[in-house]
Amino acid sequence: MTPHSQPYDLLIIGGGINGAGIAADAAGRGLKTILCEQGDLASATSSSSSKLIHGGLRYLEQYEFRLVHESLAEREVLLRKAPHIIKPLRFCLPHERHLRPAWMLRVGLFLYDHLSKRVTLPASKSILFNTNSPLVNNITKGFEYSDAWVEDARLVVLNAMDAHNRGATILPRTRCIEAKRQGDLWQVTLQDQISKEVTTISSRALVNAAGPWVNRVFDKALHEAAPNNIRQIRGSHIIVPRIHDQPQAYILQNTDGRIVFVIPFEHDFSLIGTTDVEHKTSLDHISISDDEKQYLITVVNKYFQQKIDKADIITSYSGVRPLLDDDADNPQAITRDYTLELDHSNNQPPLLSIYGGKITTYRKLAEAAVNKLSPFFNEEGKTITQSWTADTPLPGGDFDSKELLSQKLTSEYPWLPDSLNQRLVTNYGTLCYKILGNAKSIQDLGPLIGSDLYEKEVGYLFNNEWAQTAEDILWRRSKLGLRFSKNEIRSLEQLFNTLNS
Ligand SMILES: Cc1cc2nc3c(=O)[nH]c(=O)nc-3n(C[C@H](O)[C@H](O)[C@H](O)COP(=O)(O)OP(=O)(O)OC[C@H]3O[C@@H](n4cnc5c(N)ncnc54)[C@H](O)[C@@H]3O)c2cc1C
């Protein structure tokens, strides 16, 4: 870690979607910004989501109109901003008369279609399930509506890259262990989690975007009482071999009032989730319980002809939602909206703490966070520019259509296998040129490590996207972990040993 003599404007604790989004927004508005993340970028909640950019049809039942309105509008903004990693997705909602009446679903979908302006996403409609339906025979009617799908961990990394390109310092694997006010500045102690080296950084303002750890930062680093209580609500997903061929996702109603998504995943798989259970143990060990697995399997088997059991589970993941405690009895009823807590009592250097939030609303949250802090910088003679993120693509998102980009790659790199062409376009957009460069044949991409991952791509991820371990690549920069054998994982680990030495 290099010493930083001049104070930063903003130090952000947490490299999930909220921290990375704030870093990008702030750096783009001219603030000298630094972000520390104790693990890999997106190593916590922001890679454990259902990966939907959605208004949240279910939140209408909780009267969360502000959140739904903002989220619906963000779908179109984010589809433009990151067309490589975000795509439209249609959802089928089977109608079960005894769960929610058809009139209620129609009203909900009408609101969903009209609460915010849709530009590209088609409207909802009633549907009939015919003999080709993957659902059990007694389900004949339903509805279809639009939302969007995102590669959540890549959204975090692309925001961190955007921040970095605009001058921010990004420090993964660096924990904030202490932060105290001294005069006009924060003095923040950071520890490199690999070398254990400790550095102190000064900053004019501090952002606590530690997600589920937000109150732990208050307790252990700030040594002060947190302004809000949070409820830690775990949500888990299972991944099984694909259980239906349609491109749509399914949203299944359960008898407990909850819903479960079945989403096409990485071509050959189905992603099934999520659950809502109070997480009472350590945040260092967040994993699915047997009951959660059974819960998801039972819901799916009630609806789908193709039955699944625990033996079909290829892998699973879990995350903890850090939800603001609003005294709701039931975990699913707790608000999913976000709150920004600003503390600058007695004209002390400001601390902004982020509570709650969705991947979908990260950009608006970041905009609101920097707006809230900008008066402090304006007072100090800096002029904070207007928000800019709505119309600027994320790195690699500067292209018109994936089809055209893919055709361009085919003509420029005719030897590139189709599946690799598709994966590079979807993962990297125009950043794929940094991997392909002036390669003239597949051999120019270096040795094959496993699946369709060549050494050149690993080098790119190591040098440009902060990947430092096999897991960073297999589960966050990509989902190739689904396709790698144990030997291939070992080869990738060995390559990292060489790169890191
Ligand atoms: C099961 C589940 C499904 C979800 N599905 C969706 C969905 O489909 N769509 C949607 O929009 N939203 C969804 N969400 C919500 C969304 O995932 C979260 O709101 C979002 O990821 C929170 O991001 P964050 O940056 O606040 O937290 P995190 O991603 O958890 O980031 C906080 C980071 O802070 C770091 N940190 C903590 N303490 C320190 C420290 N002392 N020093 C340095 N770093 C530290 C942590 O390592 C962590 O990486 C879902 C959430 C869950 C749990």
Side-chain angles (χ1 to χ4, degrees):
M1 216 183 288
T2 46
H4 309 271
S5 46
Q6 289 299 310
Y8 282 85
D9 291 321
L10 197 58
L11 188 148
I12 300 162
I13 305 170
I17 190 58
N18 289 329
I22 294 169
D25 190 308
R29 290 209 229 175
L31 294 178
K32 189 177 171 203
T33 303
I34 182 167
L35 177 149
C36 69
E37 161 55 51
Q38 63 186 357
D40 181 24
L41 295 167
S43 51
T45 330
S46 299
S47 56
S48 310
S49 79
S50 301
K51 309 181 196 307
L52 302 178
I53 299 293
H54 63 160
L57 189 54
R58 190 178 71 71
Y59 308 144
L60 289 173
E61 284 182 337
Q62 265 88 45
Y63 309 113
E64 299 241 30
F65 295 113
R66 193 214 75 81
L67 175 64
V68 177
H69 168 73
E70 183 171 291
S71 305
L72 288 170
E74 277 304 281
R75 297 177 309 180
E76 298 276 1
V77 175
L78 296 178
L79 277 164
R80 284 198 310 273
K81 197 170 164 64
H84 38 344
I85 57 160
I86 303 184
K87 63 177 185 206
L89 184 61
R90 290 289 277 178
F91 284 77
C92 292
L93 167 57
H95 174 228
E96 287 270 67
R97 196 190 300 263
H98 63 287
L99 294 177
R100 287 175 184 86
W103 68 262
M104 185 189 275
L105 296 176
R106 272 198 201 95
V107 170
L109 288 168
F110 177 84
L111 286 173
Y112 212 67
D113 281 344
H114 293 93
L115 266 176
S116 178
K117 195 170 150 214
R118 272 177 303 108
V119 184
T120 58
L121 293 171
S124 62
K125 62 177 189 187
S126 303
I127 51 170
L128 295 175
F129 295 108
N130 58 25
T131 47
N132 294 330
S133 161
L135 302 179
V136 291
N137 293 337
N138 60 326
I139 299 179
T140 53
K141 290 182 185 164
F143 300 90
E144 208 181 85
Y145 69 93
S146 290
D147 264 325
W149 159 266
V150 61
E151 190 31 81
D152 54 2
R154 289 206 58 73
L155 185 67
V156 177
V157 172
L158 293 181
N159 271 282
M161 288 173 79
D162 203 8
H164 177 73
N165 294 344
R166 295 170 197 279
T169 303
I170 306 291
L171 301 177
R173 295 185 161 87
T174 305
R175 176 178 287 161
C176 165
I177 54 174
E178 178 131 68
K180 50 184 184 221
R181 291 172 165 117
Q182 226 170 54
D184 292 346
L185 295 173
W186 281 98
Q187 298 297 340
V188 186
T189 309
L190 303 181
Q191 184 181 45
D192 185 312
Q193 295 301 287
I194 313 283
S195 67
K196 301 296 172 197
E197 196 187 322
V198 166
T199 320
T200 299
I201 307 272
S202 11
S203 176
R204 296 191 168 83
L206 184 64
V207 172
N208 179 357
W213 290 264
V214 59
N215 283 357
R216 196 194 276 185
V217 167
F218 271 100
D219 185 25
K220 303 270 187 245
L222 292 153
H223 309 295
E224 56 179 83
N228 294 308
N229 290 330
I230 55 167
R231 298 266 296 272
Q232 298 185 166
I233 307 298
R234 188 174 68 237
S236 299
H237 291 81
I238 54 175
I239 296 170
V240 299
R242 184 108 174 216
I243 59 172
H244 70 83
D245 295 334
Q246 283 85 358
Q248 300 93 328
Y250 284 80
I251 170 170
L252 310 177
Q253 304 177 70
N254 194 22
T255 43
D256 59 4
R258 297 194 64 261
I259 47 103
V260 167
F261 293 110
V262 177
I263 304 168
F265 189 57
E266 296 286 316
H267 303 290
D268 305 321
F269 307 93
S270 291
L271 174 64
I272 299 168
T274 174
T275 52
D276 268 299
V277 286
E278 205 99 34
H279 183 79
K280 296 204 169 115
T281 52
S282 159
L283 286 172
D284 300 331
H285 304 285
I286 307 171
S287 60
I288 190 168
S289 67
D290 265 0
D291 285 353
E292 287 174 275
K293 285 183 190 167
Q294 195 51 56
Y295 175 90
L296 296 173
I297 289 169
T298 306
V299 178
V300 168
N301 286 348
K302 212 175 74 187
Y303 280 91
F304 277 83
Q305 288 181 32
Q306 162 123 25
K307 306 300 176 200
I308 54 169
D309 63 28
K310 284 186 185 161
D312 294 309
I313 299 175
I314 294 168
T315 186
S316 64
Y317 64 82
S318 305
V320 167
R321 306 172 182 90
L323 304 180
L324 199 63
D325 191 355
D326 59 4
D327 295 326
D329 296 334
N330 173 346
Q332 77 181 80
I334 306 172
T335 181
R336 262 53 173 172
D337 212 345
Y338 55 82
T339 299
L340 308 181
E341 288 286 349
L342 181 63
D343 171 20
H344 63 111
S345 40
N346 307 324
N347 287 330
Q348 296 186 96
L351 165 65
L352 186 70
S353 301
I354 314 297
Y355 282 88
K358 304 278 301 167
I359 301 262
T360 307
T361 48
Y362 89 89
R363 195 195 64 80
K364 290 295 283 182
L365 182 153
E367 209 170 75
V370 180
N371 285 346
K372 240 179 155 73
L373 288 169
S374 48
F376 300 97
F377 300 109
N378 288 337
E379 270 170 25
E380 292 191 2
K382 271 193 183 246
T383 308
I384 304 305
T385 53
Q386 290 300 305
S387 177
W388 57 276
T389 52
D391 301 316
T392 312
L394 281 167
D398 52 343
F399 61 90
D400 290 332
S401 97
K402 272 194 207 170
E403 289 68 31
L404 289 180
L405 180 58
S406 171
Q407 281 168 22
K408 201 159 168 270
L409 287 193
T410 306
S411 72
E412 289 166 352
Y413 305 94
W415 43 267
L416 196 63
D418 268 358
S419 57
L420 181 54
N421 174 321
Q422 296 296 324
R423 187 171 71 73
L424 293 178
V425 167
T426 308
N427 250 26
Y428 301 104
T430 54
L431 291 173
C432 69
Y433 285 104
K434 291 200 168 197
I435 298 166
L436 295 170
N438 52 12
K440 298 276 180 293
S441 69
I442 198 87
Q443 285 74 25
D444 289 345
L445 297 184
L448 179 65
I449 314 293
S451 185
D452 58 2
L453 180 75
Y454 291 83
E455 199 173 293
K456 198 86 189 291
E457 186 175 344
V458 178
Y460 160 80
L461 290 169
F462 177 77
N463 289 318
N464 298 279
E465 296 198 9
W466 300 280
Q468 287 178 39
T469 68
E471 203 179 308
D472 297 352
I473 290 195
L474 296 177
W475 294 108
R476 287 181 287 277
R477 305 307 181 278
S478 78
K479 292 291 177 283
L480 287 169
L482 288 165
R483 303 180 192 279
F484 260 52
S485 69
K486 284 197 173 122
N487 278 343
E488 290 166 341
I489 295 173
R490 224 164 288 130
S491 304
L492 184 56
E493 284 167 353
Q494 277 160 8
L495 178 55
F496 268 106
N497 287 343
T498 317
L499 289 169
N500 283 317
S501 62

